[in-house]
Amino acid sequence: GATRAMNVVEMEKLHQTARLNLSSSSTRLMAAFNPIKVILTNFDIDDDHNNNPNKHTFEVQNSPTDPSLGTHTITLTPVIYIDASDFRPVDDNPKYYGLAPHKAVGIKYHGGNMICDEIIYFPGKKQIQELKCHIDTSPDRPKPKSYLTWVPSNALPCEIRIYNHLFTVPEPTDSWEDELNPNSEIIHDKALIDPSILTLQSTSTNTTEQICSTKLSQWSSNPAYQFERMGYFCLDIDSTPSKLVFNRTVSLKEEKFKKQLTPEEERDIRERRERDLRDARVKEERMKISERDFFKLDKDYVGLFSKFDDATGVPTHKADGTEVTKSATKKLIKERAKFVKAKKNWEKQQQNQKQN
């Protein structure tokens, strides 16, 4: 029977059930929600065209875990589009693996590396108009840390609707109007999608008109897809032959709601980051001091001593010429040992960062 007790089930349980079901049944496609135009400057479609006319066309499984779902093809073109979230004009975070100027990333399904050579902005604006990149397929190219999804120049225009939690808290209170999530619906009306969607539902080539007239229903589930790295989506009945519309059913993994920061909180975070950078620079300069010159150059000891041991650099006389006591010498030796240990740990960290 039904329980009379008040019971709240977490929404994430429904989301996880949807992921498990859609993971094994949905077709994979690539899409760009906020497209950035990318010109591949060294692309040559006619290269070896007579011997291999399909050199830039790749067969992709509809599901990486279920071959029975079939395959579709995707073609790399001289102009492609990537999502804006995969590019940064400045690579200022070691954990960022997307595209940035003069940085190599992999091209999904192609296998080669893509390097950004130039950023072109719209005149008088800070908005990016296009990127000029080149492809590196040399045998000794570096292994990229990530592979970007992309769509070709003949990608289909579409509208992507992202639905998030309606409220900013798990359980709304009497002040529910203040707890509404302003980003509960985000619409990307200039998105692009892999054109192979036209061939996924039939053995013959479909058109957007056929998809809208035969694949959509107001009363039953419409076709579901996984947009690679983006989430699970289904066709909406608002789709038209000129623009398909997709609604996000669920993200690929659980998303934690991020609180909207006030200007004061953003300023505090910015100041803390700047302070951390200053501290890191000061530490770097300190670690560059040699062990013998530690008591001569370190800011805490500069000017305090006049003579030093030739072998260790430990002070033997104060600035006024008096001899350093034995007890003070022991303390200085301990301070030098702590510095030596810290310097070795820092050098090891620097070496590991270079290797990674």
Side-chain angles (χ1 to χ4, degrees):
T3 178
R4 296 182 181 180
M6 288 291 292
N7 190 21
V8 177
V9 179
E10 293 182 7
M11 182 64 73
E12 183 53 33
K13 291 187 177 180
L14 174 62
H15 289 172
Q16 186 60 19
T17 301
R19 291 188 190 101
L20 294 173
N21 180 270
L22 293 170
S23 176
S24 60
S25 60
S26 59
T27 298
R28 271 62 169 175
L29 292 171
M30 292 191 289
F33 293 178
N34 297 301
I36 293 181
K37 182 179 180 180
V38 178
I39 299 175
L40 302 175
T41 55
N42 64 338
F43 185 97
D44 187 359
I45 193 66
D46 293 322
D47 181 33
D48 197 24
H49 184 75
N50 293 328
N51 297 327
N52 187 8
N54 297 320
K55 177 179 179 181
H56 299 284
T57 298
F58 313 100
E59 186 175 25
V60 179
Q61 284 191 195
N62 291 336
S63 171
T65 59
D66 187 359
S68 67
L69 292 182
T71 62
H72 65 275
T73 58
I74 182 73
T75 300
L76 187 72
T77 53
V79 174
I80 62 174
Y81 295 87
I82 64 172
D83 192 76
S85 63
D86 288 327
F87 178 77
R88 291 183 183 178
V90 179
D91 186 7
D92 55 356
N93 189 334
K95 294 184 179 180
Y96 172 68
Y97 299 137
L99 184 64
H102 312 297
K103 180 180 180 180
V105 296
I107 307 175
K108 190 74 179 285
Y109 299 121
H110 175 271
N113 288 354
M114 180 169 64
I115 298 95
C116 177
D117 302 309
E118 183 181 0
I119 307 173
I120 299 177
Y121 294 90
F122 285 102
K125 298 181 180 179
K126 294 184 179 181
Q127 184 181 1
I128 297 174
Q129 181 177 5
E130 61 186 35
L131 305 176
K132 289 189 176 181
C133 305
H134 72 272
I135 300 176
D136 179 11
T137 57
S138 59
D140 57 345
R141 64 184 181 276
K143 183 178 180 180
K145 293 185 177 181
S146 66
Y147 287 83
L148 300 191
T149 53
W150 50 274
V151 293
S153 57
N154 62 332
L156 301 178
C158 63
E159 179 178 300
I160 304 290
R161 299 170 179 173
I162 305 294
Y163 293 101
N164 298 303
H165 292 295
L166 181 60
F167 296 97
T168 60
V169 294
E171 295 184 43
T173 64
D174 292 338
S175 304
W176 61 270
E177 290 182 337
D178 298 329
E179 297 164 347
L180 287 171
N181 180 8
N183 297 316
S184 59
E185 182 187 43
I186 302 174
I187 297 178
H188 302 280
D189 58 358
K190 296 181 180 179
L192 296 174
I193 189 174
D194 177 358
S196 62
I197 189 175
L198 298 177
T199 63
L200 290 176
Q201 301 298 324
S202 172
T203 55
S204 62
T205 302
N206 280 319
T207 63
T208 52
E209 290 86 350
Q210 289 174 312
I211 290 179
C212 292
S213 61
T214 62
K215 305 301 179 186
L216 295 178
S217 171
Q218 188 174 0
W219 311 110
S220 60
S221 297
N222 291 315
Y225 308 94
Q226 183 197 113
F227 293 167
E228 295 190 39
R229 300 171 49 242
M230 304 293 189
Y232 296 98
F233 295 78
C234 68
L235 272 170
D236 189 87
I237 58 175
D238 291 341
S239 296
T240 65
S242 61
K243 179 181 282 189
L244 298 176
V245 178
F246 296 90
N247 298 329
R248 189 177 74 172
T249 304
V250 68
S251 60
L252 290 180
K253 58 182 180 180
E254 180 181 0
E255 294 182 330
K256 299 293 186 181
F257 179 82
K258 293 184 178 180
K259 176 188 174 184
Q260 193 71 26
L261 299 177
T262 64
E264 292 76 14
E265 290 172 327
E266 291 180 346
R267 186 190 66 244
D268 292 341
I269 292 174
R270 187 165 56 251
E271 291 178 351
R272 185 167 63 250
R273 287 176 178 172
E274 292 174 353
R275 184 170 62 252
D276 291 342
L277 286 174
R278 288 196 300 269
D279 292 344
R281 286 194 290 267
V282 170
K283 181 179 181 180
E284 181 179 1
E285 291 300 318
R286 188 171 188 260
M287 291 300 108
K288 289 180 179 179
I289 299 174
S290 67
E291 298 170 8
R292 286 186 58 186
D293 293 334
F294 172 62
F295 293 104
K296 295 178 182 179
L297 302 179
D298 186 79
K299 65 181 182 65
D300 293 334
Y301 297 101
V302 170
L304 297 181
F305 305 100
S306 59
K307 292 184 180 181
F308 306 85
D309 183 83
D310 293 335
T312 63
V314 174
T316 57
H317 293 75
K318 297 180 181 180
D320 59 4
T322 59
E323 190 174 352
V324 177
T325 64
K326 290 184 179 181
S327 60
T329 300
K330 289 182 179 180
K331 291 181 179 180
L332 292 172
I333 291 174
K334 288 183 179 180
E335 289 299 316
R336 180 182 181 277
K338 285 165 48 173
F339 169 75
V340 171
K341 184 178 179 180
K343 182 179 176 70
K344 289 181 178 178
N345 290 336
W346 181 82
E347 290 174 344
K348 186 177 180 180
Q349 291 175 356
Q350 297 298 112
Q351 186 176 3
N352 291 338
Q353 290 178 2
K354 290 181 179 180
Q355 292 176 350
N356 296 330

